[in-house]
Amino acid sequence: MSDGAAPKFNQPLGGNDMPRFGGVPTMMRLPSQDTAEGLDACFVGIPMDIGTSNRTGTRHGPRAIRAESGMMRPYNMATGAGPFAKMQVADIGDVAINTFDLKKTVDIITAAYDEILKHDVVPLTLGGDHTLSYPVLRAIAKKHGPVALIHVDAHADTNDLMFGEKIAHGTPFRRAVEDGLLQNDKVFQIGLRGTGYEPGDFDWGRQQGFTVIPAEECWHKSLAPLMQDIRARIGDTPCYLTYDIDSLDPSIAPGTGTMEIGGLTTIQALEIVRGCKGLNLVGGDLVEVSPQYDTTGATAMLGANLLYEMLCVLPKTWA
């Protein structure tokens, strides 16, 4: 600050104060604290992969995302957002899941977010496999009621069963519908693609009222007009944003468990997240980063940047 006073809000640790490769690896090298008390937004990790059906490894996703976030700086040069000038933000660590019991883990996550949401805070989650969105949404809906949903993914994640189980990373949004957590006519699934078991694999959501935008409808075009339409349709309804990194093409985001060809570009990813500016975002997550398949760290780096972009469009950043 020009008058020499101490900053009002937490700031990421600068590269001239500690080398980017040094220090404690919190998200964006922010201060850490044990709870969400006093925060406007928080980063929280859910290091789990016990809901995955193919390649494991997303339990290491939060740590990898935090490590790759060390190069990021506080101001968004493209959008003008300066979230750390407007909000108190910290990394509140990880949810202590039960890595041997998925059903118990789901309840542990909901209980943890019930505690987080006792405060007037927007949680941004570092995943972890996509199962986690269901228990997080259970807590979100307790506070905000049924929410609008922007779901960016290669997969619909609306299976009824996986290997006879109701809870897995391919089922969270069917469970969310069954529990009344969503405003179905304000659910948007972007980027779905790949092979299926039958022609109507993506139709279950449509039958519930979802708007489904397959990847093929996104090819070779800007998604800014799509997001303008989505904003108009959601209005001021509380909205949750869930971003599966496998929505991106595997040529740019190989570090994930269930890749599909023909995916979104990083530019389209930015258009989607930046296009959420003006929505009443009450939470978000970035899931399915598996760092052992990510030899350059690029996938975790993309995940870190998209989480930062989510922070940059939260309502208090522009208040």
mmCIF file of all heavy atoms in Angstrom, residues 15 18 22 61 67 89 112 114 193 236 280 288:
data_model
loop_
_atom_site.group_PDB
_atom_site.id
_atom_site.type_symbol
_atom_site.label_atom_id
_atom_site.label_comp_id
_atom_site.label_asym_id
_atom_site.label_seq_id
_atom_site.Cartn_x
_atom_site.Cartn_y
_atom_site.Cartn_z
ATOM 1 N N GLY A 15 7.660 -13.978 -5.048
ATOM 2 C CA GLY A 15 8.861 -14.657 -5.507
ATOM 3 C C GLY A 15 10.148 -13.988 -5.089
ATOM 4 O O GLY A 15 11.212 -14.618 -5.108
ATOM 5 N N MET A 18 10.664 -15.293 -1.193
ATOM 6 C CA MET A 18 11.072 -16.695 -1.101
ATOM 7 C C MET A 18 11.072 -17.240 -2.523
ATOM 8 O O MET A 18 10.113 -17.012 -3.261
ATOM 9 C CB MET A 18 10.095 -17.490 -0.227
ATOM 10 C CG MET A 18 10.291 -19.003 -0.237
ATOM 11 S SD MET A 18 11.836 -19.559 0.510
ATOM 12 C CE MET A 18 11.484 -19.213 2.250
ATOM 13 N N GLY A 22 10.603 -22.697 -3.214
ATOM 14 C CA GLY A 22 10.802 -22.857 -1.779
ATOM 15 C C GLY A 22 9.554 -22.536 -0.993
ATOM 16 O O GLY A 22 8.520 -22.146 -1.533
ATOM 17 N N GLY A 61 -3.621 -35.468 -6.196
ATOM 18 C CA GLY A 61 -3.942 -34.271 -6.954
ATOM 19 C C GLY A 61 -3.800 -32.972 -6.175
ATOM 20 O O GLY A 61 -3.168 -32.025 -6.665
ATOM 21 N N ALA A 67 1.637 -27.521 -5.492
ATOM 22 C CA ALA A 67 3.030 -27.339 -5.905
ATOM 23 C C ALA A 67 3.118 -26.510 -7.188
ATOM 24 O O ALA A 67 3.951 -25.604 -7.299
ATOM 25 C CB ALA A 67 3.700 -28.701 -6.092
ATOM 26 N N VAL A 89 -8.492 -14.662 1.931
ATOM 27 C CA VAL A 89 -8.394 -16.001 1.364
ATOM 28 C C VAL A 89 -7.249 -16.746 2.042
ATOM 29 O O VAL A 89 -6.191 -16.156 2.325
ATOM 30 C CB VAL A 89 -8.140 -15.961 -0.162
ATOM 31 C CG1 VAL A 89 -8.237 -17.367 -0.755
ATOM 32 C CG2 VAL A 89 -9.108 -15.015 -0.860
ATOM 33 N N ALA A 112 -17.366 -32.174 6.998
ATOM 34 C CA ALA A 112 -16.309 -31.162 6.945
ATOM 35 C C ALA A 112 -16.817 -29.878 6.292
ATOM 36 O O ALA A 112 -16.516 -28.765 6.763
ATOM 37 C CB ALA A 112 -15.112 -31.709 6.178
ATOM 38 N N ASP A 114 -19.988 -28.943 6.112
ATOM 39 C CA ASP A 114 -20.957 -28.331 7.033
ATOM 40 C C ASP A 114 -20.235 -27.363 7.974
ATOM 41 O O ASP A 114 -20.732 -26.257 8.243
ATOM 42 C CB ASP A 114 -21.666 -29.410 7.857
ATOM 43 C CG ASP A 114 -22.713 -30.182 7.075
ATOM 44 O OD1 ASP A 114 -23.157 -29.698 6.011
ATOM 45 O OD2 ASP A 114 -23.092 -31.287 7.531
ATOM 46 N N ARG A 193 -18.338 -36.259 -24.209
ATOM 47 C CA ARG A 193 -17.869 -36.850 -25.462
ATOM 48 C C ARG A 193 -17.444 -38.298 -25.217
ATOM 49 O O ARG A 193 -17.550 -38.812 -24.108
ATOM 50 C CB ARG A 193 -16.681 -36.059 -26.028
ATOM 51 C CG ARG A 193 -15.448 -36.064 -25.144
ATOM 52 C CD ARG A 193 -14.398 -35.099 -25.678
ATOM 53 N NE ARG A 193 -13.110 -35.248 -24.995
ATOM 54 C CZ ARG A 193 -12.791 -34.683 -23.838
ATOM 55 N NH1 ARG A 193 -13.678 -33.927 -23.211
ATOM 56 N NH2 ARG A 193 -11.600 -34.862 -23.309
ATOM 57 N N ASP A 236 -29.626 -14.920 -10.785
ATOM 58 C CA ASP A 236 -28.983 -14.774 -9.479
ATOM 59 C C ASP A 236 -29.113 -16.019 -8.604
ATOM 60 O O ASP A 236 -28.825 -15.982 -7.410
ATOM 61 C CB ASP A 236 -29.536 -13.554 -8.743
ATOM 62 C CG ASP A 236 -31.049 -13.649 -8.504
ATOM 63 O OD1 ASP A 236 -31.675 -14.667 -8.890
ATOM 64 O OD2 ASP A 236 -31.614 -12.691 -7.935
ATOM 65 N N ASN A 280 -23.834 -15.908 -9.082
ATOM 66 C CA ASN A 280 -23.738 -16.026 -7.623
ATOM 67 C C ASN A 280 -23.076 -17.362 -7.293
ATOM 68 O O ASN A 280 -23.727 -18.307 -6.851
ATOM 69 C CB ASN A 280 -25.129 -15.915 -6.999
ATOM 70 C CG ASN A 280 -25.089 -16.020 -5.481
ATOM 71 O OD1 ASN A 280 -24.044 -15.834 -4.855
ATOM 72 N ND2 ASN A 280 -26.232 -16.331 -4.891
ATOM 73 N N GLU A 288 -9.954 -34.644 -10.573
ATOM 74 C CA GLU A 288 -9.421 -35.699 -11.435
ATOM 75 C C GLU A 288 -8.012 -35.441 -11.982
ATOM 76 O O GLU A 288 -7.628 -36.000 -13.007
ATOM 77 C CB GLU A 288 -10.395 -36.022 -12.581
ATOM 78 C CG GLU A 288 -11.758 -36.536 -12.124
ATOM 79 C CD GLU A 288 -11.751 -37.973 -11.599
ATOM 80 O OE1 GLU A 288 -10.694 -38.628 -11.650
ATOM 81 O OE2 GLU A 288 -12.818 -38.437 -11.130
#
